[in-house]
């Protein structure tokens, strides 16, 4: 079963409550929330207050992608705000294992993220603490970038590492109707889509096509 997680980074920020309700009604399985701190990535998007603000507008899980340096500082903040998933970057902390423990301790699902240039070698040592693996198919920081095809091989490799475990495998960046079938075939089961869903005249149809 493939899940589609539209990224609200591509939504109308002046009308976020309605955008979230709309994407929910259009069939989104989760709402992907891109938190950017201006340090780990050059862009600044929004913080925990946005998560708290959109929480009443959907019952779907909030998939909070922390593009934040030293995410251990803000796990409680985002757990309190209503995140269902918190994903942290391998590159953003020397203690990814400890951060995953912190997230789980708060009763939130824990995810580890790998940038396009980061090998997933360390993943086997964190699988027991991981509910989701997120593989970036663009360098994080902006929506609307071109998909990096080398992630397909990484998806296949991580799918093998996960084996029969109940762990979601998510891909984020430049996902569209052309590459979605390749990603599904490689073993991804959560597809994030910003521009390809929000810019579509028929968002429900765009989500259906990505799901396959
Ligand atoms: C990139 C973000 C993505 C982004 C995806 O830094 O993590 O979630 O919003 O947007 P598209 O689908 O437009 O590449
Ligand atoms: Zn993201």
């Amino acid at each position: 079963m493939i899940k589609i997680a539209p990224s609200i980074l591509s939504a109308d920020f002046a009308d976020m409550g309605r955008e979230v309700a709309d994407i929910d009604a259009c069939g989104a399985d989760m709402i992907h929330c891109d938190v950017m701190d201006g340090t780990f990535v050059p862009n600044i998007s929004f913080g925990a207050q946005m998560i708290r603000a959109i929480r009443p507008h959907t019952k779907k899980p909030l998939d909070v992608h922390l593009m934040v340096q030293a995410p251990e500082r803000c796990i409680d903040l985002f757990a309190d705000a209503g995140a269902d998933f918190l994903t942290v970057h391998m590159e953003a902390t020397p203690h990814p294992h400890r951060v995953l423990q912190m997230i789980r301790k708060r009763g939130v699902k824990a995810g580890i993220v790998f940038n396009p240039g980061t090998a997933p070698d360390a993943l086997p040592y964190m699988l027991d603490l991981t509910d989701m693996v997120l593989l970036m198919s663009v360098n994080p920081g902006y929506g609307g970038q071109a998909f990096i095809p080398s992630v397909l091989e990484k998806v296949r490799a991580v799918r093998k590492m996960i084996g029969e475990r109940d762990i979601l495998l998510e891909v984020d960046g430049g996902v569209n109707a052309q590459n979605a079938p390749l990603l599904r075939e490689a073993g991804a089961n959560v597809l994030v889509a910003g521009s390809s869903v929000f810019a579509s005249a028929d968002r429900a149809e765009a989500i259906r096509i990505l799901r396959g």
Side-chain angles (χ1 to χ4, degrees):
M1 194 43 196
I2 305 294
K3 295 181 197 297
I4 305 301
S7 165
I8 59 168
L9 190 63
S10 295
D12 179 358
F13 274 46
D15 202 5
M16 198 54 99
R18 268 215 318 198
E19 288 282 70
V20 168
D22 178 69
I23 213 71
D24 176 331
C26 286
D29 299 289
M30 321 200 233
I31 312 298
H32 186 82
C33 306
D34 285 308
V35 175
M36 302 181 180
D37 68 350
T39 299
F40 180 67
V41 291
N43 198 7
I44 298 177
S45 58
F46 51 77
Q49 262 177 288
M50 178 66 92
I51 307 306
R52 195 182 296 280
I54 65 172
R55 184 66 282 183
H57 294 270
T58 181
K59 291 194 165 63
K60 305 272 170 77
L62 299 182
D63 168 26
V64 179
H65 176 192
L66 293 178
M67 284 161 275
V68 170
Q69 193 63 39
E72 50 274 13
R73 294 170 301 156
C74 58
I75 299 308
D76 284 332
L77 195 64
F78 284 93
D80 290 342
D84 295 285
F85 285 82
L86 278 173
T87 61
V88 294
H89 271 260
M90 191 64 200
E91 306 83 6
T93 173
H95 296 294
H97 189 279
R98 179 186 289 157
V99 187
L100 294 171
Q101 286 177 322
M102 290 173 68
I103 297 170
R104 280 260 182 105
K105 206 171 265 172
R106 285 300 316 260
V108 175
K109 296 215 186 298
I112 185 79
V113 192
F114 296 88
N115 274 337
T118 304
D121 314 28
L123 182 60
Y125 309 101
M126 296 183 286
L127 283 173
D128 289 349
L129 290 168
T130 301
D131 299 295
M132 176 150 77
V133 179
L134 169 49
L135 300 180
M136 294 306 299
S137 42
V138 297
N139 285 298
Y142 303 95
Q145 303 182 80
F147 180 80
I148 299 171
S150 64
V151 77
L152 284 166
E153 197 190 309
K154 207 190 275 185
V155 172
R156 279 186 215 103
V158 168
R159 173 45 66 201
K160 278 206 195 102
M161 291 179 190
I162 290 175
E164 295 307 306
R165 293 176 182 82
D166 185 20
I167 297 175
L168 294 169
L169 177 45
E170 179 176 57
V171 177
D172 182 9
V175 174
N176 58 31
Q178 283 70 51
N179 53 42
L182 305 174
L183 289 165
R184 296 194 305 259
E185 189 263 337
N189 54 14
V190 184
L191 302 180
V192 176
S195 40
S196 71
V197 167
F198 278 95
S200 168
D202 186 343
R203 292 171 174 180
E205 178 64 4
I207 289 173
R208 264 196 298 278
I209 290 170
L210 292 176
R211 195 181 275 122

